[in-house]
Structures are given as structure tokens and as C-alpha cells.
Amino acid sequence: MSKNYIFLLALVIATLNSGSVFAQDNLTFGNGKTYILEELKVTGVVTYNEQTIITYTGLVVGQPITIPGVKLSDITKRLWGLGLFSNVNFYLTKVEDDKAWLELEIQELPELSEVKIVGMKKSKTKEIIKEASLNKGIKVTENLITNTKNYLENKYKKKGYLNTKTIINTLPDTVGKNSEKMVIRIDKGDKVKIRKIIIDGNEKISDYRLKKALKKTKQVKVYRLFKRSKYIEDDYRKDLQAMMDKYKERGFRDARILSDTLIKVSKKRINLQINLEEGNKFYFGNIDFIGNSVFSDTELKNALGINKGDVYNGVLFKKRIKDDSRPDSDDLSNLYQNIGYLFSNLTAVEVGVRNDTIDFEIRVVEGKLAHFNEIRVTGNTRTNDHVIYRELRTRPGQVYSKANLVRSVRELGQTGFFDPEQIEPKFENVNPNEGTLDINYSLVEKGSSQIELQGGFGGGGFIGTLGLSFNNFSIRNILKREEYRPLPMGDGQSLALRLQASRTSRVFSFSFVEPWLGGKKPVQFSTTLSHSKQFLFNGLRNDVDKSRSFTIDGITLGLAKRLKVPDDFFTLSQAVSFQFFNLNNFNTGLFTFGDGVSNNFAYTIAISRNDTRVNPIFPTAGSNFNLSLKVTPPYSLFSGTDFGNLKNDPNFQNTDGTPNQSLIDQKRFRFLEFYKVKFKGDWYNSLYANKLVLKTTAELGYLGSYNSERGTPPFERFFLGGDGLGNFSLDGRETIGLRGYPNQSLSSFDGGTIYNKFTLELRYPLTLGQAASIYTLGFLEGGASFEKFRDYSPFDLNRSAGFGIRIFMPAFGLLGIDFGYGFDNLPGSLKANGWETHFIIGQQF
């Protein structure tokens, strides 16, 4: 599109609100005389051609025109209103009989050709130009210069640079026509911090507690590392309100700030002087409900949870009526909205003050019962609609429920297919008269497939790992070539392949999960196939004997069903598994026999409950626990073998008549017989604005046997310590991480049959973006492993503390590094273990 057409478009939409300017050269305007326009000439135009301007004026040669008159005045106003010109003048250049010649002189505003910023790093220049919209070609006006100056000074004042000064100069560009260069000089000055906060007038609440209420306004302290002490006006105003809320929470309804003063101490320091008036302490009196019919007064009072005679708490009172900080809170507003009364409104009104007692009325407008009309989803460019709709708790025609809406957002976030921070249920076509509304779930897809590439040295050489995980797979489209973009995706299934190889081992695993078997109910089907083989490695000779090996082949089939009782956060899962262990002249001391086979056929049942929300990578609330029982058939009941007497059986003795432990153990463990109980629970509590989150974890495991003479098998044991990664878990062991100690160092050589572990982890997000989620953490941890139940001492723990960072990228999964300090000694050592570094790949503690 040419500039002329752009100009014409601008002319059409311009605001006609500017003043006008008239000028004359050597002829004087008549007093309202009408002429025939003989000629209109436009001068001074640089960018736009003459005909474009004439067309906009609406003047046509040959038409009558009054000079001076309203028409010329209106044209001048419209031209000024475009904001494209610095000067607009009409000249009457010639008059002959009743004919008039007019000249329209227009001076265009200069265009911005270049911006130079002095006083900032080059890396920040582009950012500032973009933020201030200083685009090349924009018209240079006084308004642009003023707005840019104010924006830049406010930008740095918000960062604590109160003395920021900005000077903006413009100069003609000698290269371009009617263009100017802009030079911006920014002097941020020193960052201003708060030297002291002085509070006067407070008697009922101490300085310490009031200053603690100022969450983002802190005075300089040597020990303060994580709280900033710079002064930011917006944060300070919010903190002052928080200080008043502290009074309201304690009954001081009339507390107020008489004055607050910023006192400049030096270029780098200020004092804040706050003068208060506390007022008297008040109590709740009568609280009456007006207009309610759906719930009785008693039901509403019980839900409110505030009684006559309680100390007045304005903050709590407001939250018990409607808590805007928590969409799923148990307040009165949600009591109505969760049963369909979207249009309800509850207003608390003071109706009387008697001495120190305040009476309230809560006036209820219940409104019409609302129903969902249409339910739509947008933004799902990869995931098929049916995968989304099956997770929603909102249905067309259903009575509106805020709880179901919040739950739907959580379920969509838990799928891992969408950015949980950008899931937005939009209310559309809301009709209070008919009681209907539409919901549009606005989604942003994120990468759900992951690749794992690892390399390192250990176990006799280089170990390479390749893992592929497709978490939104579509197996029904696997034969359709057109669906490969690059793979068939969108049906919510999971497909994972993992290969690991080194000089001494080969590991392969395949798994597939269908979360909605049959597509109608949340019944999850899963299957896993695995094969691993380890060759005998001689560390002294640094060679591998591939004729001697230990092989494990396994298969697992599982079903999991979402329950409705006690609530639908519960899941019951069941699985059957089989593992075949084959030792071929594999004498390493790991087992008492180097030749033989073992069979592990087991049934696992587990009940779990997960109501964490909303982001599965960084939960801020809720809990997640799992209790499982894994059992094998009680072979001892049917075999008829007296395992305690095998040592006396000649078939299990050496030639000298002594028991052959290798042969005895081959018999004992040919079919593994055990039961295994495990529990793990995670609790998440937001300590500050859904940012600072405390994760509490407790876990326990126990491996037992039915027959004491047959004993506990050498497989399936617990190995505690380190990062929890089990690259060489070829004997069915479970590796349990405990940071601050080397891998598997807190269990005996044979592993433990019982363990417990406790963790406190404080997390803070740096970013929760779609491309990457990054959070830092600090932890306290303790755990212990025991060989026998009689040795179990739950609080005789190996303790540690440390810090770390986690990075989740959709393509690579969870990555991280932890630095842990072990406070206790390892077996055989007399001093604390000290610092350990742990690399985390694809797991969470």
C-alpha cells in the first residue's frame, strides 16, 4: 500500500479536535464573501502528494466557497487533528472578479530516523527502544518526547533509582528528508535504599510486627540477603495498606496513617517517617443476613465462621464473604457459586456501632440460577478436542459451578500438554436475565515430548543413554503417513523408549500408557517391557568377560481407575508383573550363587490421591500421596519344601558334607516370595503469593517375607543415598535419593529391607514460562535404611541440608543440580560426610 493511500486512511479515522491557524500574504480576506474556487495549490508537502491533500480537504475547483468561512475553518481543524503536521496555513493568493485562488501551506512533522541512547549498555538499548515504541518513521512531537522522558524515568524509579534524570535532544538528519535523530541521555544515579523506617503513634502493635507487614519495603540490614531494601513507590503504597490490614486483623477498625514522609538522608539513602493513629479496639456484634432464601441464616453463619463477641477482624471478614486471592476458598460467595448462583452478590454493611461493638448486615442478592450453554476450547493446535473435553468438569446444560470450573483448569494443567500458567476460562455471552453463559477455555500448547541424552564414565567405561518420551501420542494414527508431523500426536497417550549401553551392560525398555481405555471412562492401561544384561567386569584387569552375564527380562501390565469415593482425586491402580533373572557364571559377591535363575511374579495394588494444583512442575498447593502393596504368591504353602532343613539334605551339600549355600539359595530364590509395602506423601503449602512454596515429604518402605526359613530375597531391596538415579539397578533394587551422601552409601552391601525418609524443601520460581520453568530450592533431609525390622529406629537419621536449582524444558524434561552437606558420618568414617554434588535428570525428590 502506498503512502498516499495510508494517508487517506489516516485522514478518514482522524479525530477532529484541533485548533486552526489562518495566515495571509499580501491579500486580505474579505468579510464572509463567497467566491468561485478557481485554483487550490498545496505547498510544503514532503511525504504526501498534492492530490492526496486536496482530496482530503473536499474542495473542488469550480465550487463556491466563503472566505473566511466555516468550511475552511473545519478543514484546518481536521488537518491539525491528524497529528501529522506542525503547521497548517491557508493563503488567498489571488482574487479576480468572483474567482479566488487559494494556497494551502502544510509543514509536516519530522520522522524519527535514528535513536541513540547514552548512559546505557548496548544490550539494553534495543530493549528500551522497543518498550518506548521509538520506531523508525514515527512522527517526532513534543508529546512523544515528553512521554518517552516520563516512561524512562518511571522505569528506573520503579527499580530503586529515585534520582534518575533523562535528557532528550533532537537534531536534523542530513541524509533523510524531513527526518530527525533522537539522542537520549540517561543518568540513573545511585540506587536509593531505605536507611531507616520510623514509626510513631503505635502502642498496640510493636514496630517489629508493623515493619514485618511491609513485605517489599525493608530497611537496610547486613544480614538481609533475600529481601530488597530499595524504595519503590508502588510497593510502598501497597505495604502501607498491608500495615493497616494488620490493625484491622486485631480489631482496630479506625486505625489510619496520619502522614508518611520521605526524608532524603544522602544520594543513596532515605528515611521513611510514618505517623499513625490506632484508634479503639472493636468487637463483632450482631451479624444478620438479609435476602437469603437458598441457605438459612444458620447455614450462612456456620459457613461465615465469625461469631458475636469475636474481636473485629476486617480482613478476615472480607475474605469469609469473598476471598479474591483463592478461587477455591470456602467463602460465602463460593457457597452460592458452587451450586449455580453465578449472579449472586453479598455485601456487608455496618448498621450500628454501640461503644466498642459493631453490628453488620450481610445483604444477599441471590440472582437467577445459571446454566452453562456452550463449552468451547481454543488454542489447541496439537491436542485433539476429545482429549480436552474428557478432562472438563463443565458440560453444556449443567448447572454452573465455580468448583467444577476451577477443577477443570487443574485437570487441564495436570495433563502436561498445555502451559498451566496461561489456561484461562473466559466467560462469554453472559445473560443474567436468562441465567446462561458460555465458557471458552483458552489454551496454549507446550511441548510434551522429551529426549534424554546422557553420557558419562562408570562401571568400566563410557555409558551412553538415549531416551525418547512422547507424552501426547496417537497410536490410532500410527499407520497414517499424513499424521507424521514428525509423529502422530494429539490423543494423550504416552510412548517411551529408553536405550542404555556401555562396555559392561545393555538396557532396553519400552512403555505405553493409554489414560482413557475405551475412551469413555478414566481407566488407565499401561504396559512396560524391559530387558537388561550386564557382563562380568574385572576392575583389576580392566576387561569385560561377555561369556559371563546377568540378564533380567520383565513385563508389567497395569490398570488404574479414578474413584468417586471418598472423592474423585483418588485413584486405585493394579498391576501384574513378571521378571526373569538369569545368572550365567556371574560371581560378583552380589548374590551367594553365580549360576541359576529366579522368577518374580507379583501383583501390586496401590491407592493414591493427588490434588496438587495447578502446575505439575511447580505445585503451589494440595497434596499427593501413594500407598502400595506388592505381593507374590505364597509358594511355601504349596511346595512342601522344608527350607530350614535344606542344609541337612545331601543334594544341597558339598562333598565334605557341609551345606552348599549357593545351591540352597538357588532353591530358596528360584521363585521369589515376599511382600512389599511403600508409602510416600508430598504436601505443598504456599507461604507467600503462590511463589514461596514449602514441600513436605515423608516416605517409608518395608520388604518382608512369608516364611522366615526361606528368608527375604536379595532382590527388590532398598538402597539409600545420593541422587536416586539407578543406572545399574539390574537386580531389581530400588534406589532412594538422599542428598549430601554418595549414591547408595547409606545401605549395607546387600541393601535394606526397611527405610524411611523425611524432607523439607523450600522452593521459589525464577520463571514459569512456556519455554522453560526454572526454580531454586533449599532443603533439609533425613533418612535411614535398616537390614532387619528389629533394627528399625525411625528417628536415627542421616541428616543433610543444601540448595539447588531445577530447570524443566519440554524437550528435555527435568534437569537440575543440588549441593548437599551430609552432617553424619558414613560407615567406617568418624567425621561428617560433608559436601556432595548431585546431578538430577528426569526425577523429583
Side-chain angles (χ1 to χ4, degrees), residues 381-418:
T381 56
R382 186 183 304 112
T383 306
N384 294 322
D385 284 354
H386 74 272
V387 174
I388 302 170
Y389 282 118
R390 71 191 184 191
E391 299 294 343
L392 300 181
R393 303 304 175 94
T394 54
R395 298 284 187 272
Q398 187 182 68
V399 172
Y400 171 83
S401 169
K402 186 177 179 181
N404 287 342
L405 195 68
V406 172
R407 181 67 184 275
S408 296
V409 172
R410 177 200 176 270
E411 296 302 321
L412 291 174
Q414 290 289 313
T415 64
F417 307 149
F418 311 104

mmCIF file of all heavy atoms in Angstrom, residues 381-418:
data_model
loop_
_atom_site.group_PDB
_atom_site.id
_atom_site.type_symbol
_atom_site.label_atom_id
_atom_site.label_comp_id
_atom_site.label_asym_id
_atom_site.label_seq_id
_atom_site.Cartn_x
_atom_site.Cartn_y
_atom_site.Cartn_z
ATOM 1 N N THR A 381 -3.596 -26.503 19.218
ATOM 2 C CA THR A 381 -3.111 -26.721 17.847
ATOM 3 C C THR A 381 -2.640 -28.145 17.614
ATOM 4 O O THR A 381 -2.498 -28.565 16.466
ATOM 5 C CB THR A 381 -1.947 -25.762 17.556
ATOM 6 O OG1 THR A 381 -0.929 -25.941 18.550
ATOM 7 C CG2 THR A 381 -2.428 -24.312 17.597
ATOM 8 N N ARG A 382 -2.403 -28.889 18.690
ATOM 9 C CA ARG A 382 -1.892 -30.251 18.547
ATOM 10 C C ARG A 382 -2.816 -31.280 19.197
ATOM 11 O O ARG A 382 -3.063 -32.350 18.647
ATOM 12 C CB ARG A 382 -0.496 -30.344 19.159
ATOM 13 C CG ARG A 382 0.192 -31.682 18.944
ATOM 14 C CD ARG A 382 1.557 -31.741 19.630
ATOM 15 N NE ARG A 382 2.435 -30.670 19.198
ATOM 16 C CZ ARG A 382 2.834 -29.672 19.967
ATOM 17 N NH1 ARG A 382 2.415 -29.593 21.222
ATOM 18 N NH2 ARG A 382 3.633 -28.726 19.511
ATOM 19 N N THR A 383 -3.312 -30.970 20.364
ATOM 20 C CA THR A 383 -4.134 -31.920 21.114
ATOM 21 C C THR A 383 -5.554 -31.946 20.571
ATOM 22 O O THR A 383 -6.175 -30.899 20.357
ATOM 23 C CB THR A 383 -4.170 -31.524 22.601
ATOM 24 O OG1 THR A 383 -2.831 -31.404 23.083
ATOM 25 C CG2 THR A 383 -4.911 -32.556 23.423
ATOM 26 N N ASN A 384 -6.083 -33.143 20.341
ATOM 27 C CA ASN A 384 -7.426 -33.294 19.802
ATOM 28 C C ASN A 384 -8.472 -32.862 20.830
ATOM 29 O O ASN A 384 -8.283 -33.004 22.041
ATOM 30 C CB ASN A 384 -7.670 -34.741 19.387
ATOM 31 C CG ASN A 384 -6.788 -35.154 18.221
ATOM 32 O OD1 ASN A 384 -6.541 -34.365 17.300
ATOM 33 N ND2 ASN A 384 -6.275 -36.369 18.254
ATOM 34 N N ASP A 385 -9.606 -32.368 20.319
ATOM 35 C CA ASP A 385 -10.647 -31.820 21.192
ATOM 36 C C ASP A 385 -11.131 -32.838 22.222
ATOM 37 O O ASP A 385 -11.359 -32.495 23.388
ATOM 38 C CB ASP A 385 -11.840 -31.342 20.358
ATOM 39 C CG ASP A 385 -11.561 -30.025 19.647
ATOM 40 O OD1 ASP A 385 -10.494 -29.430 19.893
ATOM 41 O OD2 ASP A 385 -12.410 -29.591 18.848
ATOM 42 N N HIS A 386 -11.300 -34.089 21.818
ATOM 43 C CA HIS A 386 -11.892 -35.063 22.741
ATOM 44 C C HIS A 386 -10.993 -35.322 23.943
ATOM 45 O O HIS A 386 -11.478 -35.652 25.032
ATOM 46 C CB HIS A 386 -12.204 -36.373 22.013
ATOM 47 C CG HIS A 386 -10.993 -37.205 21.699
ATOM 48 N ND1 HIS A 386 -10.255 -37.046 20.545
ATOM 49 C CD2 HIS A 386 -10.371 -38.202 22.398
ATOM 50 C CE1 HIS A 386 -9.254 -37.906 20.536
ATOM 51 N NE2 HIS A 386 -9.296 -38.612 21.651
ATOM 52 N N VAL A 387 -9.680 -35.152 23.772
ATOM 53 C CA VAL A 387 -8.756 -35.316 24.894
ATOM 54 C C VAL A 387 -8.977 -34.215 25.924
ATOM 55 O O VAL A 387 -8.868 -34.452 27.139
ATOM 56 C CB VAL A 387 -7.293 -35.301 24.385
ATOM 57 C CG1 VAL A 387 -6.308 -35.332 25.548
ATOM 58 C CG2 VAL A 387 -7.057 -36.468 23.449
ATOM 59 N N ILE A 388 -9.322 -33.024 25.459
ATOM 60 C CA ILE A 388 -9.564 -31.890 26.362
ATOM 61 C C ILE A 388 -10.930 -32.008 27.013
ATOM 62 O O ILE A 388 -11.075 -31.873 28.235
ATOM 63 C CB ILE A 388 -9.442 -30.568 25.586
ATOM 64 C CG1 ILE A 388 -8.052 -30.446 24.948
ATOM 65 C CG2 ILE A 388 -9.728 -29.379 26.499
ATOM 66 C CD1 ILE A 388 -7.921 -29.307 23.984
ATOM 67 N N TYR A 389 -11.963 -32.275 26.198
ATOM 68 C CA TYR A 389 -13.327 -32.295 26.728
ATOM 69 C C TYR A 389 -13.510 -33.371 27.793
ATOM 70 O O TYR A 389 -14.304 -33.200 28.723
ATOM 71 C CB TYR A 389 -14.326 -32.496 25.588
ATOM 72 C CG TYR A 389 -14.574 -31.247 24.782
ATOM 73 C CD1 TYR A 389 -14.263 -31.188 23.423
ATOM 74 C CD2 TYR A 389 -15.118 -30.108 25.378
ATOM 75 C CE1 TYR A 389 -14.482 -30.037 22.688
ATOM 76 C CE2 TYR A 389 -15.344 -28.952 24.650
ATOM 77 C CZ TYR A 389 -15.024 -28.927 23.302
ATOM 78 O OH TYR A 389 -15.241 -27.774 22.582
ATOM 79 N N ARG A 390 -12.797 -34.486 27.671
ATOM 80 C CA ARG A 390 -12.974 -35.544 28.667
ATOM 81 C C ARG A 390 -12.408 -35.159 30.036
ATOM 82 O O ARG A 390 -12.761 -35.769 31.045
ATOM 83 C CB ARG A 390 -12.330 -36.842 28.162
ATOM 84 C CG ARG A 390 -10.814 -36.843 28.133
ATOM 85 C CD ARG A 390 -10.288 -38.050 27.390
ATOM 86 N NE ARG A 390 -8.825 -38.130 27.437
ATOM 87 C CZ ARG A 390 -8.104 -38.970 26.695
ATOM 88 N NH1 ARG A 390 -8.713 -39.778 25.838
ATOM 89 N NH2 ARG A 390 -6.786 -39.008 26.799
ATOM 90 N N GLU A 391 -11.532 -34.155 30.070
ATOM 91 C CA GLU A 391 -10.974 -33.704 31.345
ATOM 92 C C GLU A 391 -11.821 -32.613 32.001
ATOM 93 O O GLU A 391 -11.624 -32.303 33.177
ATOM 94 C CB GLU A 391 -9.554 -33.160 31.133
ATOM 95 C CG GLU A 391 -8.556 -34.183 30.589
ATOM 96 C CD GLU A 391 -8.270 -35.304 31.567
ATOM 97 O OE1 GLU A 391 -8.568 -35.145 32.770
ATOM 98 O OE2 GLU A 391 -7.751 -36.351 31.142
ATOM 99 N N LEU A 392 -12.755 -32.032 31.255
ATOM 100 C CA LEU A 392 -13.540 -30.921 31.781
ATOM 101 C C LEU A 392 -14.641 -31.412 32.703
ATOM 102 O O LEU A 392 -15.275 -32.442 32.454
ATOM 103 C CB LEU A 392 -14.151 -30.118 30.631
ATOM 104 C CG LEU A 392 -13.181 -29.488 29.631
ATOM 105 C CD1 LEU A 392 -13.941 -28.704 28.574
ATOM 106 C CD2 LEU A 392 -12.177 -28.592 30.340
ATOM 107 N N ARG A 393 -14.901 -30.646 33.767
ATOM 108 C CA ARG A 393 -15.995 -30.942 34.694
ATOM 109 C C ARG A 393 -17.200 -30.061 34.402
ATOM 110 O O ARG A 393 -18.151 -30.060 35.179
ATOM 111 C CB ARG A 393 -15.521 -30.738 36.132
ATOM 112 C CG ARG A 393 -14.299 -31.579 36.503
ATOM 113 C CD ARG A 393 -14.554 -33.055 36.272
ATOM 114 N NE ARG A 393 -13.378 -33.858 36.502
ATOM 115 C CZ ARG A 393 -13.100 -34.457 37.668
ATOM 116 N NH1 ARG A 393 -13.910 -34.311 38.689
ATOM 117 N NH2 ARG A 393 -12.013 -35.200 37.786
ATOM 118 N N THR A 394 -17.137 -29.287 33.354
ATOM 119 C CA THR A 394 -18.248 -28.419 32.960
ATOM 120 C C THR A 394 -18.860 -28.965 31.678
ATOM 121 O O THR A 394 -18.150 -29.313 30.735
ATOM 122 C CB THR A 394 -17.761 -26.985 32.737
ATOM 123 O OG1 THR A 394 -16.665 -26.981 31.806
ATOM 124 C CG2 THR A 394 -17.274 -26.379 34.054
ATOM 125 N N ARG A 395 -20.193 -29.045 31.637
ATOM 126 C CA ARG A 395 -20.907 -29.600 30.492
ATOM 127 C C ARG A 395 -22.043 -28.659 30.078
ATOM 128 O O ARG A 395 -22.648 -27.993 30.923
ATOM 129 C CB ARG A 395 -21.513 -30.966 30.845
ATOM 130 C CG ARG A 395 -20.489 -32.028 31.225
ATOM 131 C CD ARG A 395 -19.788 -32.569 29.982
ATOM 132 N NE ARG A 395 -18.923 -33.698 30.298
ATOM 133 C CZ ARG A 395 -17.662 -33.620 30.660
ATOM 134 N NH1 ARG A 395 -17.095 -32.416 30.760
ATOM 135 N NH2 ARG A 395 -16.940 -34.689 30.906
ATOM 136 N N PRO A 396 -22.359 -28.601 28.771
ATOM 137 C CA PRO A 396 -23.495 -27.787 28.319
ATOM 138 C C PRO A 396 -24.781 -28.239 29.010
ATOM 139 O O PRO A 396 -25.055 -29.435 29.146
ATOM 140 C CB PRO A 396 -23.543 -28.060 26.817
ATOM 141 C CG PRO A 396 -22.142 -28.468 26.459
ATOM 142 C CD PRO A 396 -21.634 -29.215 27.643
ATOM 143 N N GLY A 397 -25.559 -27.267 29.481
ATOM 144 C CA GLY A 397 -26.811 -27.571 30.161
ATOM 145 C C GLY A 397 -26.662 -27.817 31.647
ATOM 146 O O GLY A 397 -27.654 -27.842 32.379
ATOM 147 N N GLN A 398 -25.435 -27.983 32.093
ATOM 148 C CA GLN A 398 -25.181 -28.258 33.501
ATOM 149 C C GLN A 398 -25.327 -26.980 34.323
ATOM 150 O O GLN A 398 -25.052 -25.882 33.854
ATOM 151 C CB GLN A 398 -23.749 -28.820 33.622
ATOM 152 C CG GLN A 398 -23.345 -29.327 34.978
ATOM 153 C CD GLN A 398 -21.892 -29.804 34.954
ATOM 154 O OE1 GLN A 398 -20.962 -29.006 34.804
ATOM 155 N NE2 GLN A 398 -21.694 -31.103 35.066
ATOM 156 N N VAL A 399 -25.764 -27.145 35.576
ATOM 157 C CA VAL A 399 -25.836 -26.001 36.479
ATOM 158 C C VAL A 399 -24.425 -25.468 36.710
ATOM 159 O O VAL A 399 -23.480 -26.244 36.911
ATOM 160 C CB VAL A 399 -26.485 -26.398 37.819
ATOM 161 C CG1 VAL A 399 -26.385 -25.256 38.841
ATOM 162 C CG2 VAL A 399 -27.933 -26.785 37.617
ATOM 163 N N TYR A 400 -24.286 -24.156 36.661
ATOM 164 C CA TYR A 400 -22.974 -23.532 36.861
ATOM 165 C C TYR A 400 -22.389 -23.914 38.215
ATOM 166 O O TYR A 400 -23.088 -23.946 39.231
ATOM 167 C CB TYR A 400 -23.090 -22.014 36.761
ATOM 168 C CG TYR A 400 -21.827 -21.285 37.170
ATOM 169 C CD1 TYR A 400 -20.783 -21.122 36.265
ATOM 170 C CD2 TYR A 400 -21.668 -20.797 38.458
ATOM 171 C CE1 TYR A 400 -19.625 -20.465 36.637
ATOM 172 C CE2 TYR A 400 -20.515 -20.138 38.839
ATOM 173 C CZ TYR A 400 -19.487 -19.989 37.924
ATOM 174 O OH TYR A 400 -18.328 -19.350 38.308
ATOM 175 N N SER A 401 -21.085 -24.196 38.225
ATOM 176 C CA SER A 401 -20.365 -24.486 39.469
ATOM 177 C C SER A 401 -18.951 -23.940 39.344
ATOM 178 O O SER A 401 -18.198 -24.365 38.458
ATOM 179 C CB SER A 401 -20.328 -25.987 39.747
ATOM 180 O OG SER A 401 -19.419 -26.278 40.803
ATOM 181 N N LYS A 402 -18.622 -23.021 40.221
ATOM 182 C CA LYS A 402 -17.273 -22.473 40.208
ATOM 183 C C LYS A 402 -16.259 -23.550 40.562
ATOM 184 O O LYS A 402 -15.151 -23.582 40.026
ATOM 185 C CB LYS A 402 -17.168 -21.300 41.181
ATOM 186 C CG LYS A 402 -15.826 -20.587 41.119
ATOM 187 C CD LYS A 402 -15.798 -19.386 42.047
ATOM 188 C CE LYS A 402 -14.449 -18.686 42.001
ATOM 189 N NZ LYS A 402 -14.393 -17.519 42.925
ATOM 190 N N ALA A 403 -16.629 -24.458 41.474
ATOM 191 C CA ALA A 403 -15.731 -25.539 41.869
ATOM 192 C C ALA A 403 -15.385 -26.424 40.675
ATOM 193 O O ALA A 403 -14.231 -26.825 40.492
ATOM 194 C CB ALA A 403 -16.361 -26.376 42.983
ATOM 195 N N ASN A 404 -16.387 -26.707 39.838
ATOM 196 C CA ASN A 404 -16.129 -27.511 38.644
ATOM 197 C C ASN A 404 -15.261 -26.767 37.637
ATOM 198 O O ASN A 404 -14.454 -27.367 36.917
ATOM 199 C CB ASN A 404 -17.440 -27.920 37.981
ATOM 200 C CG ASN A 404 -18.167 -28.997 38.764
ATOM 201 O OD1 ASN A 404 -17.572 -29.674 39.608
ATOM 202 N ND2 ASN A 404 -19.457 -29.159 38.518
ATOM 203 N N LEU A 405 -15.430 -25.451 37.592
ATOM 204 C CA LEU A 405 -14.615 -24.640 36.690
ATOM 205 C C LEU A 405 -13.155 -24.658 37.133
ATOM 206 O O LEU A 405 -12.244 -24.867 36.318
ATOM 207 C CB LEU A 405 -15.160 -23.216 36.670
ATOM 208 C CG LEU A 405 -14.688 -22.306 35.534
ATOM 209 C CD1 LEU A 405 -15.239 -22.798 34.207
ATOM 210 C CD2 LEU A 405 -15.141 -20.880 35.793
ATOM 211 N N VAL A 406 -12.926 -24.456 38.430
ATOM 212 C CA VAL A 406 -11.566 -24.483 38.968
ATOM 213 C C VAL A 406 -10.951 -25.861 38.792
ATOM 214 O O VAL A 406 -9.772 -26.005 38.432
ATOM 215 C CB VAL A 406 -11.577 -24.076 40.457
ATOM 216 C CG1 VAL A 406 -10.210 -24.273 41.090
ATOM 217 C CG2 VAL A 406 -12.016 -22.628 40.612
ATOM 218 N N ARG A 407 -11.747 -26.899 39.030
ATOM 219 C CA ARG A 407 -11.242 -28.268 38.868
ATOM 220 C C ARG A 407 -10.879 -28.555 37.414
ATOM 221 O O ARG A 407 -9.884 -29.242 37.132
ATOM 222 C CB ARG A 407 -12.301 -29.263 39.353
ATOM 223 C CG ARG A 407 -11.868 -30.725 39.259
ATOM 224 C CD ARG A 407 -10.729 -31.066 40.208
ATOM 225 N NE ARG A 407 -10.287 -32.441 40.031
ATOM 226 C CZ ARG A 407 -10.852 -33.493 40.622
ATOM 227 N NH1 ARG A 407 -11.893 -33.315 41.435
ATOM 228 N NH2 ARG A 407 -10.386 -34.698 40.417
ATOM 229 N N SER A 408 -11.648 -28.028 36.484
ATOM 230 C CA SER A 408 -11.345 -28.231 35.061
ATOM 231 C C SER A 408 -10.006 -27.619 34.695
ATOM 232 O O SER A 408 -9.221 -28.218 33.953
ATOM 233 C CB SER A 408 -12.457 -27.621 34.190
ATOM 234 O OG SER A 408 -13.684 -28.275 34.406
ATOM 235 N N VAL A 409 -9.743 -26.424 35.221
ATOM 236 C CA VAL A 409 -8.452 -25.771 34.972
ATOM 237 C C VAL A 409 -7.324 -26.630 35.521
ATOM 238 O O VAL A 409 -6.282 -26.814 34.881
ATOM 239 C CB VAL A 409 -8.434 -24.363 35.596
ATOM 240 C CG1 VAL A 409 -7.041 -23.754 35.514
ATOM 241 C CG2 VAL A 409 -9.437 -23.461 34.897
ATOM 242 N N ARG A 410 -7.516 -27.178 36.723
ATOM 243 C CA ARG A 410 -6.486 -28.038 37.317
ATOM 244 C C ARG A 410 -6.245 -29.271 36.449
ATOM 245 O O ARG A 410 -5.095 -29.653 36.189
ATOM 246 C CB ARG A 410 -6.912 -28.481 38.714
ATOM 247 C CG ARG A 410 -5.895 -29.431 39.343
ATOM 248 C CD ARG A 410 -6.486 -30.247 40.476
ATOM 249 N NE ARG A 410 -5.489 -31.201 40.959
ATOM 250 C CZ ARG A 410 -5.331 -32.427 40.499
ATOM 251 N NH1 ARG A 410 -6.106 -32.859 39.501
ATOM 252 N NH2 ARG A 410 -4.395 -33.224 40.979
ATOM 253 N N GLU A 411 -7.319 -29.934 36.015
ATOM 254 C CA GLU A 411 -7.165 -31.165 35.233
ATOM 255 C C GLU A 411 -6.452 -30.897 33.912
ATOM 256 O O GLU A 411 -5.629 -31.700 33.469
ATOM 257 C CB GLU A 411 -8.533 -31.805 34.979
ATOM 258 C CG GLU A 411 -9.251 -32.268 36.230
ATOM 259 C CD GLU A 411 -8.449 -33.280 37.019
ATOM 260 O OE1 GLU A 411 -7.796 -34.145 36.399
ATOM 261 O OE2 GLU A 411 -8.453 -33.219 38.263
ATOM 262 N N LEU A 412 -6.748 -29.764 33.287
ATOM 263 C CA LEU A 412 -6.063 -29.430 32.041
ATOM 264 C C LEU A 412 -4.577 -29.184 32.290
ATOM 265 O O LEU A 412 -3.724 -29.577 31.493
ATOM 266 C CB LEU A 412 -6.705 -28.194 31.398
ATOM 267 C CG LEU A 412 -8.118 -28.384 30.837
ATOM 268 C CD1 LEU A 412 -8.688 -27.058 30.368
ATOM 269 C CD2 LEU A 412 -8.122 -29.397 29.702
ATOM 270 N N GLY A 413 -4.260 -28.529 33.405
ATOM 271 C CA GLY A 413 -2.864 -28.296 33.744
ATOM 272 C C GLY A 413 -2.121 -29.578 34.044
ATOM 273 O O GLY A 413 -0.939 -29.730 33.711
ATOM 274 N N GLN A 414 -2.815 -30.552 34.661
ATOM 275 C CA GLN A 414 -2.175 -31.809 35.036
ATOM 276 C C GLN A 414 -1.858 -32.702 33.838
ATOM 277 O O GLN A 414 -1.040 -33.599 33.939
ATOM 278 C CB GLN A 414 -3.070 -32.580 36.018
ATOM 279 C CG GLN A 414 -3.163 -31.952 37.396
ATOM 280 C CD GLN A 414 -1.882 -32.074 38.182
ATOM 281 O OE1 GLN A 414 -1.275 -33.134 38.270
ATOM 282 N NE2 GLN A 414 -1.449 -30.971 38.765
ATOM 283 N N THR A 415 -2.518 -32.461 32.704
ATOM 284 C CA THR A 415 -2.212 -33.286 31.533
ATOM 285 C C THR A 415 -0.778 -33.095 31.064
ATOM 286 O O THR A 415 -0.176 -34.018 30.498
ATOM 287 C CB THR A 415 -3.154 -32.951 30.365
ATOM 288 O OG1 THR A 415 -2.932 -31.586 29.956
ATOM 289 C CG2 THR A 415 -4.607 -33.143 30.747
ATOM 290 N N GLY A 416 -0.223 -31.895 31.295
ATOM 291 C CA GLY A 416 1.130 -31.604 30.838
ATOM 292 C C GLY A 416 1.206 -31.183 29.386
ATOM 293 O O GLY A 416 2.298 -30.944 28.870
ATOM 294 N N PHE A 417 0.046 -31.058 28.730
ATOM 295 C CA PHE A 417 0.037 -30.694 27.315
ATOM 296 C C PHE A 417 -0.031 -29.181 27.097
ATOM 297 O O PHE A 417 0.247 -28.713 25.993
ATOM 298 C CB PHE A 417 -1.146 -31.341 26.586
ATOM 299 C CG PHE A 417 -1.246 -32.830 26.767
ATOM 300 C CD1 PHE A 417 -2.472 -33.472 26.766
ATOM 301 C CD2 PHE A 417 -0.102 -33.597 26.967
ATOM 302 C CE1 PHE A 417 -2.563 -34.839 26.936
ATOM 303 C CE2 PHE A 417 -0.193 -34.969 27.140
ATOM 304 C CZ PHE A 417 -1.425 -35.590 27.124
ATOM 305 N N PHE A 418 -0.436 -28.444 28.135
ATOM 306 C CA PHE A 418 -0.658 -27.006 27.990
ATOM 307 C C PHE A 418 0.119 -26.248 29.060
ATOM 308 O O PHE A 418 0.430 -26.784 30.117
ATOM 309 C CB PHE A 418 -2.154 -26.680 28.105
ATOM 310 C CG PHE A 418 -3.030 -27.537 27.247
ATOM 311 C CD1 PHE A 418 -3.773 -28.562 27.792
ATOM 312 C CD2 PHE A 418 -3.078 -27.338 25.879
ATOM 313 C CE1 PHE A 418 -4.563 -29.381 27.003
ATOM 314 C CE2 PHE A 418 -3.866 -28.141 25.079
ATOM 315 C CZ PHE A 418 -4.617 -29.168 25.645
#
